Amino acid sequence: MTDFPDATGSHDDPGGGRNAASSRPPVQDESVQLSVGIDIGSASTQVVFSRVHLQRLTEEPTGRSFVVGHEPVYQSPVVLTPYLSEERIDAQAIGRLIDEAHQVADIDPDTIDNGAVILTGEAQRGDNAVAIADALRERCSRFLWVPAGHQMEAMLAAYGSGAAEASRRCGAPVLNIDIGGSTVKLALVHDGNILHTATMAVGGRLAVLDGAACLTRLDPAGERLAALAGCTWSVGKTVREHDVERVTACMADAVVTVLTQNPAPPQIRRL
């Protein structure tokens, strides 16, 4: 498990805190922009369209604008990220998913003001990132591309899930747990601020089975988890349903152990 103890930050707080409203400069102008967010991860992919409300809080024409609200327009279903092989993402299929989202939402791509493509897990690695960039070049050339590392993933999950805002409203610490394809990300937030993040190699795509229950892909972390569960797994081996249940139970127990034991046992901290 990897800790990031200095992961501090707040989400779009133009005044530097809740009690700094009196020091904020007057609002100079407001605007509404149509935005799209594309999240491509190891296990799943989703497209979200929103109308984002911006305010510019400075007299300078080039001054920074802040997000003060947003209205969801359309969220595509969360779909399994398509793969060409055990490790190679099907970038062309990703492009078709984005096109379908535009069609269902009845949104012309030319009307999009801004957007972001967030790549996590397998999607940000080597050939996958290049293939996705090539496939989406015409669709997303003006967008912000973000290859999100573990710490950024944890922070984005805390903001996107509403955990940061919930901690602000209730005035108490909130722990956000994000379970992905290759890792679990933890983010401790209080009063809207992220105090601490951590990640551990537990996820839904560390081992891949075909229709005959044969292992076609096994991440090193998946192999370690199988060993903790008392199973010896390797690519090409057929596994029993009972062993799959043992390994997934071990994964769940590892997450619970990290949350409830301090310090966690060495074999868990190595994940």
Side-chain angles (χ1 to χ4, degrees), residues 207 215 218 222-223 226 231-235 237 239-240 243-244 247:
L215 280 164
L218 184 62
E223 187 175 3
C231 301
T232 303
W233 281 8
S234 59
V235 173
K237 183 175 182 178
V239 299
R240 297 174 299 173
D243 289 337
V244 174
V247 173

Side-chain angles (χ1 to χ4, degrees), residues 2-50:
T2 303
D3 295 305
F4 301 100
D6 297 322
T8 56
S10 60
H11 184 48
D12 277 335
D13 186 1
R18 287 190 305 170
N19 299 321
S22 60
S23 64
R24 297 178 184 173
V27 175
Q28 297 300 311
D29 58 40
E30 301 182 2
S31 63
V32 179
Q33 297 188 1
L34 184 59
S35 178
V36 59
I38 303 169
D39 181 8
I40 306 170
S42 299
S44 63
T45 295
Q46 187 177 31
V47 182
V48 178
F49 298 98
S50 302

Side-chain angles (χ1 to χ4, degrees), residues 137-149:
R137 192 179 309 279
E138 292 185 3
R139 300 175 181 86
C140 310
S141 60
R142 297 179 292 109
F143 294 178
L144 176 67
W145 287 72
V146 183

Side-chain angles (χ1 to χ4, degrees), residues 9 46 57 72 74 80 89 105 150 168 215 222 230 234 241 248 269:
Q46 187 177 31
L57 302 181
Y74 173 75
L80 293 176
I89 290 176
H150 295 317
R168 190 194 304 272
L215 280 164
S234 59
E241 182 177 354
T248 53
R269 290 194 60 84

Side-chain angles (χ1 to χ4, degrees), residues 6-255:
D6 297 322
T8 56
S10 60
H11 184 48
D12 277 335
D13 186 1
R18 287 190 305 170
N19 299 321
S22 60
S23 64
R24 297 178 184 173
V27 175
Q28 297 300 311
D29 58 40
E30 301 182 2
S31 63
V32 179
Q33 297 188 1
L34 184 59
S35 178
V36 59
I38 303 169
D39 181 8
I40 306 170
S42 299
S44 63
T45 295
Q46 187 177 31
V47 182
V48 178
F49 298 98
S50 302
R51 287 190 178 88
V52 179
H53 295 255
L54 303 172
Q55 287 183 350
R56 184 166 57 85
L57 302 181
T58 175
E59 296 179 356
E60 296 295 327
T62 58
R64 180 182 175 188
S65 293
F66 294 89
V67 175
V68 295
H70 76 281
E71 305 167 21
V73 175
Y74 173 75
Q75 294 186 15
S76 76
V78 178
V79 299
L80 293 176
T81 298
Y83 280 76
L84 291 171
S85 64
E86 288 80 7
E87 297 184 352
R88 185 65 181 268
I89 290 176
D90 189 343
Q92 296 300 323
I94 294 287
R96 292 191 292 272
L97 289 172
I98 295 171
D99 291 341
E100 181 180 349
H102 277 280
Q103 293 170 4
V104 174
D106 194 22
I107 294 176
D108 186 333
D110 291 337
T111 65
I112 298 293
D113 296 302
N114 57 63
V117 180
I118 301 175
L119 306 177
T120 62
E122 292 290 336
Q124 67 169 325
R125 297 177 184 170
D127 293 344
N128 281 330
V130 173
I132 293 169
D134 289 341
L136 305 187
R137 192 179 309 279
E138 292 185 3
R139 300 175 181 86
C140 310
S141 60
R142 297 179 292 109
F143 294 178
L144 176 67
W145 287 72
V146 183
H150 295 317
Q151 183 176 6
M152 180 176 287
E153 280 191 74
M155 296 173 70
L156 290 173
Y159 290 137
S161 68
E165 180 59 27
S167 74
R168 190 194 304 272
R169 288 198 310 268
C170 70
V174 173
L175 179 66
N176 190 70
I177 305 171
D178 176 35
I179 302 175
S182 56
T183 57
V184 168
K185 277 77 61 180
L186 309 175
L188 180 64
V189 293
H190 182 51
D191 199 25
N193 297 314
I194 295 180
L195 305 179
H196 192 100
T197 64
T199 185
M200 60 186 302
V202 173
R205 200 178 160 79
L206 296 179
V208 179
L209 306 176
D210 63 14
C214 178
L215 280 164
T216 59
R217 178 178 180 272
L218 184 62
D219 189 278
E223 187 175 3
R224 289 195 296 272
L225 283 161
L228 282 176
C231 301
T232 303
W233 281 8
S234 59
V235 173
K237 183 175 182 178
T238 299
V239 299
R240 297 174 299 173
E241 182 177 354
H242 175 67
D243 289 337
V244 174
E245 293 174 351
R246 289 171 60 188
V247 173
T248 53
C250 179
M251 296 166 80
D253 289 344
V255 175

